[in-house]
Amino acid sequence: MAQEMRDWSELQHDLLVLIGRRFNLIEDYLNFGTVCKSWHSAATKNNFNSELPRVPWLMLPEEEEEDKSDSCCRKFFSLYNGMILKKRILKASGKRCMECMGWLITVGKDEGEASLLHPCSVRITTEDFYEHETGYPFTFFRKAVLSASPSYTSDFVLMVIEGVDYSGRVLFCDVAGPEPTKRSHIIAQLPFDCRDRLGHPYIVESLGSLFIVVRHGVQICKVKDDCDRMRIPLTYIVSENQEELRDGEELRYGTESFRVFKVDLAAAGKVTETRELGERAFFLGANASLSVQASQFPGIKPNHVYFTDDFFESYAAFVEGGGLDMGVFNLADGSIQMHYEGVSLSRVCPPTWVTPTLC
């Protein structure tokens, strides 16, 4: 007799829960919940190990819709298996979205207009600019560390500021300690040259160590040859004080390389340039600068830098906005590959990293 086919939808609920709790990746867990109704009923937030590390997804810009409501649809792209989730986000239409302290935050055109939306389950630093006083020429912080109550029910509290400025000074400021101060202290000096000062700096914590990453190629420049052109032509916005572009003249921007510096705070801020991250991979973007263990996530490459298009000063100068300057940089050989093959452009909120969670 032919063996009877088992109806997998009839598995006991308790058994489905045990199966679901063995998944390490949220992508696999989401796929598990789409098999049938009974499996979907077991794929709940409480049945997923939320303490497991996550790898960021790429949140794409909002889509053009006829219904101009206060919400918008965003697509989230998984680097692991190419999965795309589509979710409607309230109060996000026409606004910039960023992730901070487990929340998705929207920022509107009006100064100070911000909303806390959905929990994202992420440990991450924001990217804002804070004035500091060091006796040196006026400059800005690139990063700030925020803390909030574990329940995320109270307002965010700015506790410690760590930053790097465009002169390569690494700074520290405790604004909520026993003796809070707005005065920052220089804890390290990077060996910057003129080219680095035109780069875009990031600060990343990885396994207890502090790294400064400098990105080259974000500044607008003239196209010299066919190899220098962007894969999609962009329309440059000529300001009132600028001359029109000459016939055939094009402008571009695009990442060329990265330099990575390790700062040893235990050794009086000793700085060492490195091209070896071991099994770690860095994710850099407008609001996400973090490190992940590549071996825990299929498809994520160790010793690589995953980056998005986040240099506002450049992409805002083009009608189409940002979204083309994204990719994966190989620290070992300096090559760059695409992590998202599609085209997703915006002047308001180009693609950015977020870490999705079940809700």
Side-chain angles (χ1 to χ4, degrees):
M1 297 179 59
Q3 186 175 3
E4 184 179 353
M5 294 291 293
R6 183 176 181 85
D7 186 351
W8 294 101
S9 65
E10 295 182 357
L11 288 179
Q12 293 183 356
H13 181 80
D14 292 345
L15 178 58
L16 292 173
V17 170
L18 291 176
I19 295 173
R21 288 178 177 172
R22 297 184 65 85
F23 288 111
N24 294 326
L25 298 174
I26 194 171
E27 290 90 341
D28 292 336
Y29 195 77
L30 293 172
N31 284 330
F32 168 78
T34 62
V35 173
C36 60
K37 289 183 178 180
S38 61
W39 289 37
H40 179 74
S41 66
T44 65
K45 178 180 179 180
N46 293 333
N47 292 335
F48 181 71
N49 187 355
S50 59
E51 300 302 320
L52 292 172
R54 315 277 178 81
V55 69
W57 287 25
L58 190 67
M59 183 176 72
L60 306 179
E62 67 179 288
E63 298 182 336
E64 296 265 340
E65 293 183 330
E66 295 181 1
D67 177 21
K68 297 296 181 180
S69 61
D70 194 31
S71 63
C72 71
C73 284
R74 291 292 176 96
K75 289 182 177 179
F76 298 81
F77 174 75
S78 167
L79 300 179
Y80 161 48
N81 59 5
M83 174 189 292
I84 292 183
L85 291 181
K86 189 173 182 180
K87 183 176 179 61
R88 185 174 294 277
I89 303 176
L90 297 176
K91 299 182 180 180
S93 181
K95 298 178 182 179
R96 181 183 177 186
C97 293
M98 62 184 69
E99 186 180 14
C100 177
M101 295 299 297
W103 289 87
L104 187 63
I105 300 175
T106 64
V107 180
K109 295 180 180 179
D110 297 332
E111 184 177 356
E113 178 192 348
S115 301
L116 298 179
L117 297 179
H118 307 279
C120 301
S121 184
V122 66
R123 180 179 63 82
I124 212 165
T125 57
T126 64
E127 177 165 285
D128 283 311
F129 295 95
Y130 294 90
E131 178 182 356
H132 73 84
E133 308 169 58
T134 57
Y136 291 87
F138 182 83
T139 184
F140 296 93
F141 280 106
R142 283 288 300 138
K143 292 288 177 185
V145 179
L146 296 175
S147 69
S149 66
S151 62
Y152 302 114
T153 57
S154 64
D155 294 337
F156 290 101
V157 180
L158 186 62
M159 300 293 289
V160 174
I161 298 176
E162 293 176 331
V164 56
D165 65 19
Y166 284 94
S167 295
R169 294 188 293 261
V170 184
L171 307 121
F172 172 85
C173 181
D174 187 353
V175 297
E179 298 180 0
T181 177
K182 293 183 179 179
R183 189 172 199 68
S184 59
H185 304 280
I186 298 174
I187 56 177
Q189 173 66 59
L190 303 183
F192 268 19
D193 55 30
C194 294
R195 183 165 177 262
D196 290 312
R197 290 186 174 90
L198 295 176
H200 194 34
Y202 303 83
I203 185 169
V204 186
E205 183 275 329
S206 179
L207 298 178
S209 297
L210 183 66
F211 290 85
I212 307 298
V213 184
V214 182
R215 176 175 174 177
H216 295 138
V218 296
Q219 302 283 349
I220 296 176
C221 60
K222 293 183 180 180
V223 171
K224 298 177 182 178
D225 51 45
D226 289 340
C227 296
D228 205 25
R229 287 185 169 85
M230 301 191 80
R231 58 193 180 111
I232 294 179
L234 299 179
T235 308
Y236 184 69
I237 303 173
V238 180
S239 64
E240 295 180 358
N241 299 326
Q242 289 180 309
E243 297 181 359
E244 294 286 342
L245 296 178
R246 299 177 182 177
D247 290 341
E249 189 176 50
E250 295 181 39
L251 298 178
R252 71 174 299 277
Y253 70 99
T255 297
E256 301 167 355
S257 64
F258 288 88
R259 293 183 73 185
V260 179
F261 302 91
K262 184 176 181 179
V263 181
D264 189 347
L265 300 178
K270 179 183 177 181
V271 177
T272 306
E273 185 169 3
T274 180
R275 302 195 72 82
E276 180 54 58
L277 301 179
E279 288 298 312
R280 310 298 289 182
F282 285 177
F283 283 75
L284 307 180
N287 62 289
S289 296
L290 68 156
S291 168
V292 302
Q293 186 75 16
S295 60
Q296 295 180 334
F297 306 101
I300 301 302
K301 302 175 182 178
N303 203 40
H304 281 66
V305 176
Y306 290 75
F307 61 94
T308 60
D309 195 345
D310 70 327
F311 194 68
F312 175 83
E313 291 87 338
S314 289
Y315 72 69
F318 295 90
V319 173
E320 296 83 1
L324 289 182
D325 187 21
M326 303 192 300
V328 188
F329 180 78
N330 187 331
L331 274 171
D333 61 21
S335 62
I336 296 178
Q337 297 178 333
M338 300 299 296
H339 54 61
Y340 178 70
E341 297 292 343
V343 177
S344 189
L345 307 177
S346 172
R347 295 188 75 230
V348 177
C349 186
T352 188
W353 300 119
V354 298
T355 309
T357 186
L358 298 172
C359 58

